[in-house]
Structure formats: C-alpha cells, structure tokens
Amino acid sequence: MREKFMQIKRNSDLIVMIDTPISTRNKSNNSLGNLKEYRTSEGLLECVLDNAFVRISVYSASVIKTHISFDGYWDHNPYSVIQNPSSNELDLKDENGCITLSTANVILEINKAPFRLTFKTVEGKVINADDEAFGTASIGEQITAYKKLQADERFVGLGEKTGPLDRRGSGYQNWNTDHFGYGPESDPLYCSTPFYIGLHSGLSYGIYLDNSHKSHFNFGASNDRFSSFSVDSGDMCYYFIYNNDVAGILNSYAELTGYMPLPPIWSIGYQQCRYSYYPDKQVSRLAETFRDKDIPADVIVLDIHYMEKYKIFTWDGEKFPDPKALINHLKSLGFHVVVMCDPGIKIEDGYEAYQSGMENDVFVKYPDGSNYSGSVWPGLCHFPDFTNEKTRNWWGEQMKSYTDLGVDGFWNDMNEIATWGQMLPELIEFKFEGDKATSRKGRNIYGFQMSRATYEGTKHNLNGLRPFNLTRAGFSGIQRYAAVWTGDNVANDEHMLLGVRLVNSMGLAGIAFAGYDVGGFVGNANEALFARWVQIGAFSPFFRGHSMINSRDSEPWSYGEQVEEISKNYISLRYKLMPYLYSSFYEATHSGLPVARSLAIDYSFDDKIYSEEYQNQYLFGQSILVAPVESNKHLTKVYLPEGDWYDLLTDARYKGNTEIVAECGIEHLPVFVKASAIIPITPQAKTNTQNLGDVLELHVYKGSENNSFVYYEDDGESFAHEAGSFYKRTITYQADEKQLIVSDVEGAYDSKIKHLHICFHGFEDVNDFKINNSIAIAEHHSYRFINPISNFDPIDSEVCDGLKIEQLATVKTKNLGSEIVISW
C-alpha cells in the first residue's frame, strides 16, 4: 500500500494539512535534514523533516517502529507483520532540542537537528544509535540506515546466511536465489529474513527491516565505524526490539510476525527422499524395507518424477498408474506421503491446470497485460501470482488433486522464482492485494505467499487434519505457513557443519522448523560422512535424508551393515526423544524459541561460543547440548558453558565453563545434558510416531538449580488441540526441596501414557524415594540410550559392549490422574 503523506504546517495554534507531495522538495540533499514539525495521534508520532517524512509508532513496551519516506508516499509490506500497533497515548517529552518517547522497557531519544535516533534503556544506557553524521540517508532510490558500531558489539541471526555465528565484519544481501551446490561463503541463498540481533555491554536488541525489496546488511564490513542496513527501493521501515535477553527478543519478533502452528507429529519423524524414487514398485519396496529392518520412519517423499513430464497436479501414468492404491498401501505401513510442488504451470493446451489458470486469470504479468513466461522443468511456463487472493484460492482448489488421494504433505520448491537463466525480469508485475508492484518488491515475497496458498488450501481440503508444508524460499513470517530446508547442499563435512549453522541462524530469525538434506544432495557421501550426518540430523528440527539423481543410493542401509546399525541407533533415539521434541515444538508455538537453539540465546555474552571451534554447538530443546563434529575425527574439543553437564550416553559429569576433549568415533556423537534437566522419553518407540508405546520415562539429572519442563501431548494430527483437546503437565525439579512435582493435567485429551518411570541421573547416593508420601522402591540398573554396534571384524570377534550408564535409579507409578510428588 502506498498512501500519500499530508505535509504538516503550523499556523498559529492550528495544524494545517497541505496536500504537497515530497517530490517537490529539494532532491539534491540525500540526508533526512532537521525536524521541522511533528504531531501525535492515536499512538502515532508523525514528523516532517527537511527532506523526508517519518512515522514512529509503539507496538509494545519492547517494540518501536520507525518508518521513513523520502518520496511522500508510504510503501508497505502487507504480509510479514501481523501485530497491530498500540493506540495508547504516547509518553513524550520535548525539551532541549530533543523529543523523548518512553515505554516501560525502552527510551527513544529523537534529536531534532539533525534528525537522529538513539535507543536507550530506562537506566540511560545506549542500546543502539544512529551514526551522528549519516543517520538515515538516500543515494538515488537506495535508502540506508547507518548505526554506530559499539566497541564490543556482535551480530547474530539474519536467517539462512552462510559464514560464522558472529557476523561482525561481514556483509549480506537479501534476494531469494536458486543457488545449486552453494559454497560455504555463498550469499544470497533461497530464503530472506531481514532480522538480526545485536549484542554488546550485556545488552541485546533486535532489528527487523520490513521491506521486501533487495536489501543489504553491513555489520562493520570494510569499515570500523558503522553497521548499516539498506533497501534498494521503497521506504526505510524497521522495528526496533529491546528485551533483557535474546529469548525475549525472539518472543517479541514472533508476536510481530506470527508464531508457527503446531506441525503434525509425523512430520518431525524421519523422512526419506530421493530425486527420484520411481516407479511405484520401488516406492513400495522402500517403505517395506524400513519396516523389515525396524528402522523408524514416517514419511516417503516423492520428487518430480512422479509427475507427467514434470507438470504439477499430474501423475506419470506409466510410473504411477494407480497413485491412490500406492498411497493407501504406504498408509497401511504407517507412512505419510509428501509430494513436490513447483509453481510453474506448463503452457500446454489440454493441460487442466494451464487451462484453468488461463480462464481464471491467475498468472504473473508483464506491464502490457500479457502473461510472463519462463522456462523451468516442464518447459515454458506461466507462474501463479500468489499476491492475489483469487490466485491463492485457485491454488487451493488445484491441491485437491493431491488431498483427495490421501496426500497430506507438500514440498514447495523452485519458488524463488527459479527459472532457467536465473534472470527473472524485474518489470513483471504482481497484484500485491490490489497495490500493484514489480518483481523488485515481489521476488522475495513469492515463496512466502506460495507457501501460504499451499498451507491454507490444503488445511481447508484436509477437513481438520494438519498439513505438513515445506518450502525452499520464504521471507519474514514464513514460519506461519511452512518449515524451511536449506536447499541443494553438498555431500562433504564442510557443508554438514554449515547446515547446522544455517538451521541455528534460521532459529534466530523466527524459523523453528528447519533442516537440511542429510547425506548431502549434491555428490556422494562416504560411509563415515553419512553415519555422522544421520547422528547430527537426528537432533535437527526437520529430519530428512535426500540425494540427487545419478548419485549412489543413500538410504540408512545403503552404506553397509555398520552404518546401518549406527543410523538405526540414532533414528531410533530421535523417536525415543519424541515427547521431548514434540513438547519443544509446542513451546515454539507460543514462545518463538527455536527447537535447535544457537548457544547465543542462552549464553549470549560467553565469548567462547563464538569461536570457530565451538560456533556449531547448539541446544536441542532447552537441555540437550549437541556438539557436531566432522566425520573423520575420533577426538574433538567441546566447550561446555556455564553449569554442570552430563554425557548423554554415559552419565559422566563435567563442570561448566570448561573445554574438554570428547571421544567421537563413528559410532557416536558427543551429546550432553544440562544438570537439573528433565527429559521425557518413550522407551518403547518403534516404527513411527503413532507407535511410541504407553510408557513415559522422565529422565531427571541432578543439579543445584531449580528447573521445569512442560510436557505436551495431543492427537498429533488434527486441530482439536486448539479447542482444548490436549494433555499438558508442568514437571518441576526443586533442587533444594529434593522433590520432583508433576502438576495436575491441563486439557481434555486422554493421554496414551499409562505408565510413568522416573529415572534419576547422578543420584547414586539416594536410596529412599517417595511418591505422594508413599515409599517407592527404586530399581538400580544400567541403561542404554543407543545399542552397541556389532563387531564386523572377521579376525577380532570380541563383542563391543558400547556406551551405557552404569547406575540409574528408577521409580515407577501407574497413578497418573492428579498431581504427583516424588521426593527423596
């Protein structure tokens, strides 16, 4: 939306609105100039400057929006921000050449001459400030906000960006790009989220740049004076977020751009994909092999060869003569089906989607009104304009060709828009909900709105069941509609670790459901690389194996018996951890916290976590620390942050703020658990997420700090939880009181859990336990999270005992109805 600004002039005591476009003003000066006039109304501060107009509004005590227009019209992104601004009267003071706007959490000082912004804490500490000389300025159409670099400032986030965790000294641009086999420093990639977090002096803040044109971020690259963010066109519109910690900033960002919906539980199980599995008999054999080998999996993914000549909404009649029968067979084996969805509609008479699209006039157009055509997999195609509500509804209708067959998972690909030649014309036009714009504004939005159309359409078609929706391209707010994966990665160690950083960085930009192609899409993994990648992928929010055409088979059993056992171990471990993982996804739906959490969230000012040695480490959920390591290493350094830690597999205990050397042979990955943690596990987990058993183990790790964990359960597939059909209990560890409290049940869902086992780690000196003041007999036993690997050496036949916990105390109860208090 572009709305004309009415210039403010003051005449005695009256404010007179003069209908004068800013374009009549002096264009030779590219600075904002000085503040001339201002007014307030309904929570909005409107300012007239020498060379621009500014609107400042408060969204919450932690969020302030600044919108600067040089041309006299207001350019908006209608898709990313869903929160409404506050209409409360602003708390303003005007004195000594400065306007002060205050909220409960932050103070904005507005210097009048020249116009400059400084954000401070309520105690007066500078959080973020304009460069005194440059402020915000334009060069031609491009507008840049220059921010003073603080001496010790770090920058994290910005979503799907390569490079190090700490982005200081680097620069990036946001321009969604199909980047096949991208390198470790490549930029840009597929998905743009122009939101970053700054850290300095014990303070943390976030800035979200709400403009979908190509944008540029400079975090002190090639200069030691400023950081900056620029837009190639449109307005300078950004949201400043301040909170006491990074978790609070992520929550405010999620309130601003939307929380993710709870995904179907099957979508967070293991997914198997290849470009491509065909014909139908091969797909059936694939699913049957998973079941024959007792390797858990929930999803078979069909890449583009299921289609007739790559045309979306079709099936190849020779390779897949009866898709409904195939899907029914897969469902009988406990599998869901995800299908590839590309946006290009082949220009072909008789092709139903093309004919319908033409009749309904849904395609992106040139300025002369003709439909844009570009070549991609099917040949010359038109492309739906997803910035048009009519098109989104049309797309949802087309998706019935899948949902009517029983398909409930959808993979949005090639939606940057990717075309052969990679030169999408900038003059093509998008509806933008009635406010027409070119691809300069629409390109970064396209994948976001395609994902929206897919999600909304299939949600409607599935009649109360949750769809799984995956995308390659997106923009801020994409978390409302889809998971994101990191595109066409490469089968090598460097890419494996890069994928970890990409997912962690997306988590710092609001995308909690993200992942990478395990094993690498481009090229061939060797045995050790695949085994290591599966181990790491088991601790990724999105867990999918995928490989490219004309590459080696890349299923868990394709790399020999040893790798098969390793893969089965870690895929099975993920399924045992499903209650912990699903509860972590539930937490993301109302906190904005990611599932894979960069250590910058909880340990923001610990310098060690930013070092090259340790920047790949992360928390999986709130308490499990994962230390990714290359496939060719047998020993690696691990940094354990503040607090005490346990080795997941052995219970070996370590002090925090410590660097240790950990064994990391190909059989296992270094993983640690935070002291005082509560980890719910289903030890009976078998073939898929609907076969987790009726026993819940609560693994409690002795520590000196109090802690709590919210256990969450529902049917895993419908939206009934939104109407109260869920099962939630808060589990509290009270270190001083020496007790564990499982709260009474919230919600109306009947839990599948019938037996509760409480497993105490580090409590070797405790023998007496009580459950609700009744004596409980503790069983003392060893415990394994993973099984030992068989010895495949034909000469040395000694059996390896593997890694296990030697001493674990477990108490059991079937009394799950009301509050449970376990004391010792």
Side-chain angles (χ1 to χ4, degrees):
M1 182 187 303
R2 299 182 66 83
E3 81 186 74
K4 191 183 252 186
F5 187 92
M6 311 299 283
Q7 186 176 347
I8 302 173
K9 293 288 186 181
R10 186 171 297 277
N11 182 9
S12 298
D13 295 327
L14 298 176
I15 296 178
V16 182
M17 308 300 290
I18 310 295
D19 187 0
T20 305
I22 196 71
S23 58
T24 64
R25 304 172 73 85
N26 182 2
K27 289 185 176 181
S28 62
N29 191 332
N30 64 6
S31 69
L32 295 176
N34 300 332
L35 175 67
K36 299 181 69 176
E37 302 285 346
Y38 73 90
R39 72 167 186 174
T40 62
S41 63
E42 297 183 346
L44 178 67
L45 172 63
E46 297 182 283
C47 304
V48 176
L49 315 184
D50 289 326
N51 302 306
F53 295 122
V54 179
R55 286 178 171 174
I56 296 174
S57 48
V58 174
Y59 277 65
S60 71
S62 298
V63 181
I64 297 176
K65 175 185 177 182
T66 300
H67 192 157
I68 300 171
S69 172
F70 276 86
D71 64 7
Y73 294 82
W74 300 101
D75 186 60
H76 297 278
N77 164 18
Y79 299 116
S80 295
V81 172
I82 61 172
Q83 185 179 15
N84 292 318
S86 169
S87 59
N88 294 336
E89 183 178 350
L90 298 177
D91 181 357
L92 289 180
K93 291 182 180 178
D94 185 351
E95 55 189 13
N96 302 321
C98 180
I99 300 171
T100 301
L101 188 162
S102 299
T103 75
N105 292 351
V106 66
I107 295 171
L108 170 59
E109 290 185 355
I110 305 168
N111 191 74
K112 294 182 179 180
F115 186 88
R116 299 289 182 265
L117 304 179
T118 300
F119 296 90
K120 294 183 176 182
T121 68
V122 292
E123 294 81 20
K125 296 179 180 179
V126 173
I127 310 166
N128 178 267
D130 285 352
D131 181 275
E132 293 177 0
F134 306 139
T136 297
S138 67
I139 303 174
E141 277 191 273
Q142 188 180 81
I143 307 174
T144 303
Y146 297 93
K147 297 294 186 177
K148 181 180 179 181
L149 267 179
Q150 305 298 321
D152 58 348
E153 194 162 16
R154 299 185 187 275
F155 303 92
V156 299
L158 212 64
E160 191 184 53
K161 296 297 178 186
T162 59
L165 170 59
D166 181 2
R167 305 205 179 280
R168 179 147 182 175
S170 301
Y172 302 90
Q173 65 174 299
N174 291 303
W175 193 234
N176 290 359
T177 299
D178 176 11
H179 203 142
F180 176 82
Y182 52 92
E185 300 293 332
S186 295
D187 184 66
L189 298 181
Y190 309 92
C191 182
S192 296
T193 47
F195 169 65
Y196 73 87
I197 295 169
L199 303 160
H200 70 88
S201 310
L203 304 173
S204 51
Y205 69 90
I207 287 181
Y208 165 56
L209 177 59
D210 191 28
N211 184 321
S212 63
H213 291 87
K214 182 186 289 186
S215 60
H216 311 264
F217 286 74
N218 182 326
F219 298 114
S222 303
N223 87 93
D224 61 356
R225 177 171 175 172
F226 58 79
S227 64
S228 66
F229 42 94
S230 309
V231 292
D232 278 3
S233 191
D235 293 343
M236 174 54 64
C237 179
Y238 67 92
Y239 294 77
F240 178 85
I241 304 172
Y242 173 69
N243 208 292
N244 291 330
D245 53 30
V246 172
I249 292 168
L250 292 174
N251 184 42
S252 292
Y253 177 76
E255 288 182 351
L256 195 66
T257 62
Y259 295 97
M260 69 169 289
L262 195 60
I265 192 170
W266 55 264
S267 69
I268 61 177
Y270 182 68
Q271 303 194 19
Q272 186 63 53
C273 184
R274 181 176 177 83
Y275 167 34
S276 295
Y277 289 120
Y278 64 87
D280 53 357
K281 291 181 177 58
Q282 184 188 19
V283 176
S284 293
R285 280 197 303 272
L286 174 72
E288 290 159 3
T289 304
F290 271 102
R291 297 299 178 243
D292 290 344
K293 291 180 175 292
D294 291 324
I295 299 175
D298 272 85
V299 177
I300 303 296
V301 185
L302 301 181
D303 210 320
I304 56 176
H305 286 99
Y306 79 85
M307 304 177 193
E308 176 190 298
K309 297 179 180 179
Y310 310 132
K311 292 180 293 185
I312 189 171
F313 310 123
T314 70
W315 293 81
D316 187 306
E318 293 185 7
K319 299 184 181 78
F320 296 89
D322 192 345
K324 187 169 182 60
L326 172 65
I327 292 166
N328 287 341
H329 176 57
L330 295 175
K331 284 185 178 293
S332 74
L333 295 172
F335 283 95
H336 292 258
V337 175
V338 171
V339 294
M340 163 79 77
C341 301
D342 287 351
I345 305 295
K346 182 176 174 59
I347 301 171
E348 179 181 277
D349 290 338
Y351 171 32
E352 195 280 330
Y354 170 71
Q355 297 293 152
S356 174
M358 292 295 291
E359 291 168 7
N360 287 277
D361 192 25
V362 299
F363 298 124
V364 175
K365 298 185 182 300
Y366 283 112
D368 64 3
S370 61
N371 291 326
Y372 163 67
S373 304
S375 290
V376 70
W377 293 112
L380 207 58
C381 293
H382 293 325
F383 296 85
D385 180 358
F386 295 109
T387 67
N388 184 357
E389 183 180 10
K390 182 177 76 170
T391 302
R392 296 193 295 272
N393 292 337
W394 172 85
W395 185 261
E397 285 293 314
Q398 299 301 308
M399 297 300 285
K400 286 183 178 178
S401 64
Y402 295 130
T403 54
D404 287 351
L405 294 175
V407 175
D408 48 9
F410 310 91
W411 173 15
N412 303 265
D413 196 16
M414 305 294 285
N415 53 352
E416 289 76 25
I417 303 171
T419 56
W420 305 154
Q422 299 291 350
M423 290 292 289
L424 188 72
E426 292 193 346
L427 81 168
I428 60 174
E429 293 181 338
F430 296 83
K431 290 287 188 181
F432 260 85
E433 316 307 327
D435 190 26
K436 192 181 295 184
T438 71
S439 68
R440 295 181 68 194
K441 185 176 182 180
R443 176 172 174 147
N444 281 340
I445 288 293
Y446 192 82
F448 179 14
Q449 293 306 296
M450 177 187 177
S451 301
R452 173 186 180 183
T454 300
Y455 180 78
E456 291 178 343
T458 58
K459 178 181 178 181
H460 177 268
N461 297 344
L462 289 171
N463 298 316
L465 295 179
R466 302 175 218 170
F468 167 63
N469 200 30
L470 178 68
T471 186
R472 191 168 73 177
F475 196 76
S476 293
I478 185 62
Q479 69 273 5
R480 305 200 302 267
Y481 304 115
V484 181
W485 103 104
T486 62
D488 298 337
N489 64 352
V490 181
N492 60 48
D493 281 289
E494 189 173 35
H495 247 274
M496 179 176 66
L497 298 182
L498 171 61
V500 170
R501 291 199 303 281
L502 290 174
V503 168
N504 293 349
S505 184
M506 284 195 278
L508 288 166
I511 302 171
F513 200 1
Y516 33 74
D517 287 339
V518 168
F521 179 69
V522 181
N524 292 299
N526 60 30
E527 288 77 7
L529 178 61
F530 184 83
R532 182 71 83 210
W533 219 323
V534 169
Q535 292 169 343
I536 297 171
F539 298 96
S540 169
F542 173 61
F543 187 23
R544 181 181 78 169
H546 188 31
S547 56
M548 188 178 174
I549 196 170
N550 296 324
S551 64
R552 67 175 293 178
D553 290 347
S554 196
E555 294 74 42
W557 53 83
S558 301
Y559 294 84
E561 292 89 344
Q562 182 186 33
V563 175
E564 180 180 333
E565 288 192 17
I566 294 168
S567 299
K568 182 176 179 179
N569 256 346
Y570 276 84
I571 295 172
S572 298
L573 177 58
R574 181 183 180 91
Y575 278 75
K576 292 175 184 176
L577 285 166
M578 197 56 65
Y580 175 79
L581 179 56
Y582 193 58
S583 297
S584 297
F585 270 96
Y586 168 73
E587 182 182 14
T589 66
H590 63 273
S591 73
L593 281 172
V595 175
R597 303 178 184 181
S598 165
L599 297 186
I601 296 176
D602 287 350
Y603 309 98
S604 310
F605 300 100
D606 185 337
D607 291 342
K608 279 280 199 310
I609 70 164
Y610 300 99
S611 72
E612 186 175 357
E613 287 180 299
Y614 307 125
Q615 64 176 345
N616 299 316
Q617 295 181 191
Y618 62 97
L619 289 176
F620 187 61
Q622 68 179 34
S623 300
I624 297 176
L625 187 146
V626 182
V629 59
E630 295 90 340
S631 62
N632 57 0
K633 286 189 175 180
H634 296 274
L635 293 171
T636 189
K637 290 179 70 176
V638 175
Y639 176 64
L640 300 174
E642 181 183 5
D644 289 348
W645 298 86
Y646 292 79
D647 185 301
L648 174 69
L649 302 183
T650 68
D651 260 8
R653 189 165 180 171
Y654 300 91
K655 292 292 184 183
N657 291 319
T658 304
E659 296 170 276
I660 66 170
V661 175
E663 293 186 3
C664 56
I666 196 58
E667 297 87 2
H668 72 275
L669 180 74
V671 178
F672 301 85
V673 181
K674 189 186 299 185
S676 301
I678 302 160
I679 310 289
I681 282 177
T682 44
Q684 299 172 334
K686 295 190 187 313
T687 54
N688 62 20
T689 51
Q690 295 304 309
N691 193 9
L692 299 177
D694 64 359
V695 175
L696 182 71
E697 292 179 347
L698 292 181
H699 287 256
V700 182
Y701 291 79
K702 188 175 184 180
S704 59
E705 302 292 329
N706 294 337
N707 187 35
S708 64
F709 182 88
V710 176
Y711 172 82
Y712 179 85
E713 185 184 346
D714 59 25
D715 64 22
E717 62 179 7
S718 78
F719 288 92
H721 62 285
E722 295 180 352
S725 183
F726 59 84
Y727 179 94
K728 184 169 71 169
R729 307 186 81 160
T730 300
I731 306 162
T732 303
Y733 170 73
Q734 296 182 341
D736 294 337
E737 300 296 327
K738 296 185 178 181
Q739 61 184 13
L740 184 78
I741 301 174
V742 181
S743 74
D744 206 348
V745 177
E746 295 179 51
Y749 181 72
D750 186 14
S751 173
K752 295 177 182 178
I753 300 301
K754 306 304 177 187
H755 306 271
L756 182 64
H757 299 176
I758 303 96
C759 303
F760 291 91
H761 297 254
F763 289 77
E764 292 84 0
D765 57 338
V766 179
N767 294 306
D768 299 323
F769 293 89
K770 290 183 179 180
I771 299 178
N772 291 343
N773 291 321
S774 297
I775 294 174
I777 305 301
E779 299 178 12
H780 294 270
H781 56 96
S782 63
Y783 189 93
R784 294 184 192 275
F785 280 102
I786 61 174
N787 293 323
I789 302 301
S790 301
N791 188 350
F792 297 98
D793 189 334
I795 299 175
D796 181 6
S797 60
E798 182 179 350
V799 177
C800 175
D801 192 36
L803 297 176
K804 65 180 179 181
I805 297 164
E806 295 291 347
Q807 187 66 254
L808 192 67
T810 298
V811 296
K812 301 178 180 179
T813 181
K814 294 181 181 179
N815 180 15
L816 306 180
S818 56
E819 182 181 81
I820 306 167
V821 179
I822 303 99
S823 56
W824 55 88

